[in-house]
Amino acid sequence: MTIKDILKNSFSDLKYTILRFPLAILSGILLTIVTIYGNFQEEITYRYTVLLAVFTVGIFLFIFISLLNSFLQTVFNKTYYKYLTNLLGIVILIVLYYFGKNSNLNSQVYPSIFLIDLLYITKKFGTIVYGLIVFFIISSLYVEKLNNPKGTDIYIYKIIRAIGISVIFSIVILVGTQLILYALSTLFFDFIDYRYFMSNINLIMILVNLIVFLSNYPKASIYEDYIVPKFFKKLLINIVVVLLIIFGLILYIYFAMILIQRNILVRQIAYLVIVYGGFTIGTLILLNIVEDSKFKRTYMKIAPISIIPLLGMLFYSMGGRIKNYGITENRYFVVLIGLWLLFSSVYFIINKYKNNLPVLMVFSLLTLIGTVGPLSAYNVSSRSQKNRLEYYLNKNNMLKDGKLVPNSDVSKEDKLEITNILEYFIYSKDEKELPYIAEIGDDFTLDTSKYLGFDFYYSYEYEMGENPEPETGIGISYQPDKIQVDNINDYNHMDLQTVFNNSIIGDYTFIVKDDNLEIHKNKEVEAISFEEINEKINTSISSLDFELEFSDGKIKILFYMINASSNDPESFMATLLLFKD
């Protein structure tokens, strides 16, 4: 084959891809342009962030619509449906844009990481964006196969293959083009402008990656003659399945331990069960492409059954948390995913893997319910926490005729609950959802004692009773509007870092142990007690900083944000500046 033939075939493939997914590629082009534009801006506006989110949703929306049009054409043998569905897609994006533009955005975001930060900076809008993206991704796995479910496992494999090809292809191009840019910058211009490198990354990893992926996206067919590569089959049955079996055995050993000890650690149980269940269901969907064997038949029979007892443990542990502390977005999604895993397990047991589409369809439906509309995680959690807040306010005679009434005679336990719920609305929701806070405005957070009768309270030692957590503990919650940096002349280096339990920054390891934050360096250990941290917080300091001295020098830690509980070291999270002399 000559170079001319290769170019001709490549152009033909590109033309076919554009005709098959025109608006998805247009959305990718617009997202690339807007992202590159953002690289050259000093500040990123709210509207810019919303545009990024809308164009990202547009890519997945129009991929789904193109596949839906293909399905509709096979059913009705008409082409005019695509104009209606594409128009509907454009209307959805316009509505999403105006909804996002009018949402309560409370921070700026950089384009390279906006998908990571979107939930935290755009609140309700971010949840909807993520929900729509997941909905369209999962729906695209089956919509074209609705009237022809046979071969769905191979169809999904070919989508995974398309992702792999596009990622590898894009990385190769990216490495080459980055090296070319580096050579040009250093040899001819004597400087390196990172913005051009970032723009090249945006171009390759968004637009080129998308086009290559869509050019390899499979068409719906039975795939009776398609041969899946042996390495993928062996990877699935000999590695993935074996690892899942080991993972499941570990969970059951832990399950036996907690039955004996009667002590359930909620967060670990929830996430581990969801990871195990999700990977198991995903593997079962694909296992039909593997040749029949006794091991395969046994695993496919036992695997869905093995998920159900673990889900019982998950629902029990989450039920205790919801009963004591109400519904939050995380708890809502854990329960929702648990319900999907339960449905999928029971379905596989009954259906014997004859048709896997309902498993994906139910996931799509639950995703839409959980992120959009009155039953979404955002709305349900808001109602739950609002009811909890008003319970504590009414209990302490702090709410009368829809207005706050200050009361300083409130127990430490109730102060902490009121503080936690109010901060939950301030930082994770929108305090305007609480009319008695909204009418006060920004003055509320500046002087809470004036309106509540006490400052926000962050710590107490408490008895947990029936709550399945360790019996006593100290909690910390600190996230000021602004901080002041003083007395850093003796230090000549700093790093802004987000740390968790067992995080490592350079030579320093951060460990939560016995109500202390320990900082380890080689064999030396310095500690900051949770009580000392809370004492500084409750004295209304301008900055939360601590100096520690090691044998080879001093460090200064300045906290921007910290959330921690000695009950659960894994919940520790802090954003800090680390100054080193």
Side-chain angles (χ1 to χ4, degrees), residues 69 121 139 149 168 171 177 229 236 242 262 277 288 318 335 348 355 422 425-426 455 467 480 507 549 564:
N69 290 337
I121 67 165
S139 299
I168 294 172
I171 290 175
T177 52
L236 200 61
V242 172
R262 298 181 180 275
N288 277 331
M318 291 307 300
V335 172
F348 280 144
N355 180 5
L422 284 173
F425 274 96
I426 292 171
D455 290 322
N467 188 41
D507 298 328
E549 187 164 353

Side-chain angles (χ1 to χ4, degrees), residues 14-57:
L14 177 61
K15 181 179 178 182
Y16 170 77
T17 303
I18 293 173
L19 290 175
R20 188 183 180 195
F21 300 101
L23 293 182
I25 293 176
L26 177 61
S27 297
I29 292 172
L30 293 174
L31 178 62
T32 303
I33 292 172
V34 173
T35 306
I36 292 174
Y37 170 80
N39 293 333
F40 295 88
Q41 303 305 305
E42 294 294 331
E43 293 185 354
I44 303 301
T45 64
Y46 295 156
R47 182 174 297 182
Y48 174 85
T49 303
V50 173
L51 279 175
L52 286 173
V54 169
F55 290 143
T56 302
V57 172

Side-chain angles (χ1 to χ4, degrees), residues 541-554:
I541 55 168
S542 59
S543 64
L544 185 62
D545 60 85
F546 300 88
E547 284 191 347
L548 303 174
E549 187 164 353
F550 293 87
S551 59
D552 59 349
K554 297 185 299 181

